[in-house]
Amino acid sequence: MDRPSYPDLVEVLEATELPDGQAYKVGLLSNITLHPMEDVVRYCLSVNGIRANVTTATYDNIVQEATQYNDAKVVVVFWETMNLIQDPDALRFDYTEADYLALLEKIKVEMQLCLEQLGVHPLIVFNRFSSLGLTVDELNSGYIDRLVHELNEYLELLAVEIKNLYLVELDKIIISFGLKESFNWRFYRVSKALYSYPFLFNYVDFLEPVILSAFGKAKKVLVLDCDNTLWEGVLGEEGVSGIKPYSTAQRTFASLAKRGVVVCLCSKNNPEDVDEVFTLRKDMLLTDEHIVLKKVSWGDKATAIREIAAELNLGLDSIVFLDDSNFEVNLVRESLPMVRVYQVPHNEAGVNMLAKKIENVFFNLNSTAEDARKTAMYKSEVKRNEARVCHSNMDAFLRSLDLTVSVSVDDTAHAARFAQLAQKTNQFNLTSKRYLESDIDSMIDSEAYAVVGLSVSDRFGDSGLSGLAIVSLVNEEASIDSMMLSCRVLGRRIEYKFFEALVNVIEKKQITYLKADYIETAKNSQVSDFWPKLGFSQAVVDAPGQTSYLTDLGGIRYPEDTSFIKVIYE
Amino acid sequence: MNKKMIALFAKILKIDPSEVGPECNHETVASWDSLKQMSLVVAVEEEFGVQFEDDEIFGLDSYAAFEECVSKKI
């Protein structure tokens, strides 16, 4: 994000004042005055299309008010060393070993209490303790450094157990921004406002990928130009042997592909020339196996990127585009504002720095085994689409796929992948409830819920765990809390087979009535009529954009033939 | 300077520009609390490229005080 001046930021926020209605809750807890963090967080979320109510708890009431934020989506905790005790100088001059140990114990208990109160629901963004502002110019290391060290060790320990706790390397952010620019000692003296506005902006900017990941807005696709982006030089002028690969950047992109980022090329060149580079140049670290789609032509790049989104069945706002050309960068920025665009600098050091930045942009809270196989999965999806063109008859095509789905119930081994699905699935998602792994774990353990997973495979490959449904069971009534399918398995009638399997699971639990909701979002209109198509009748419109449906098990009908899909119950 | 300062105060305090003037201070404007006070300091420093001293910040509790302090610095 480019940093606007503070008055400009206030103006932008004023112009985009939140309309009434559902907005995410975001909380800031702090033992210093965290001004103007609230505005900065709201700004960051609003430029990413997220509506949120951001509030700051009362000054220095972290433990007392934590419980008010256990239903928030994200909670940021600034627990500052500077203000742990009234007079930090006492730690330097007056403290005995016994005083120190008592203080350490007290803060540990408070931290534990605070995290307990916040519970398993919100993503807790917690700063590691830092002594930089206090002891950076001291030769002797005393109680303050020791306290910071021991509290951080304790935090590490807590983070092993608490899955929704993300620890922030506050020291790194302060140092990279500069000590002098980070702190505002004048304001600290006057009003305990420790950090400068530019620092807080930098802090939020640095953590943006972490926060977006919690809102299910993590980036998924990396679209790369070739000339002067993947290598130095223009292929059409210098030829296959004349270009020089940017190896550090290529290595980064290849590692992103291995972690599940969908890497595509978008270049104005002759396709056979680019193919030749990948075949002949053995010093290319980014290779064909990492690349899902190549759009190499002389057409305009905005159109090419639109095609990429359509072929992958992913939203434009999940795409990051890199190009060195001013023209292309501006064209894509203007015609596709939802695409995140970075301009590649004209020197290798700059390219390397940008590659690091890009690695951060694709930060993902939950990495799973599925991620590592994603490139292969998307590649087989592209092959499937090609096969589809050959088959004029859709039914014949679907039959030719040899589709198999396998269904699991309450399998804890899948919890991490379930959480990832819940956070990232946008299009085929009936209620879009964004659960964390800890939420999923507790529902799997609970008798009142059935957590059903779906894996899909066909003759082109294995799409892995692609579907999740959560059903709450009360007496004779089952209610579908969540149902979603990863977009990479759509268009194969898998959704109806999934529902059929779900009904099979429920039937065994003496259920007669089935309830289901549809909650409208900007992206899930394709499932707005999913329940009526299955024979549900509309019960009530609970709120604008939210409709409840009801059916008895006998009333269910299937709109399309799915007999060609084989089902295995795990 | 006056016009810019009035617009800034109206924006930060969320009041009408006509309400910003010599009479405007932390007692007469309901939204002017300690946090808004810091917002005003940050915003005025950024807008006019000035820096207030510690002791000055304590005294900046009215529009007139801001105006006087800034005019000494630019």
Side-chain angles (χ1 to χ4, degrees), chain A residues 22 78 134 139 156 247 262 284 370 431 498 526 556 567:
Chain A
Q22 201 194 1
F78 270 77
L134 283 163
L139 280 173
E156 293 294 342
S247 24
V262 180
M284 291 278 291
E370 233 78 16
T431 55
F498 188 20
Q526 64 165 271
I556 294 169
V567 189

Side-chain angles (χ1 to χ4, degrees), chain A residues 70-97:
Chain A
N70 60 16
D71 59 342
K73 191 76 201 161
V74 176
V75 176
V76 184
V77 185
F78 270 77
W79 207 321
E80 285 300 324
T81 315
M82 198 80 62
N83 214 20
L84 281 177
I85 57 173
Q86 199 71 30
D87 168 22
D89 278 341
L91 266 164
R92 212 189 309 248
F93 302 120
D94 312 330
Y95 262 49
T96 63
E97 181 72 10

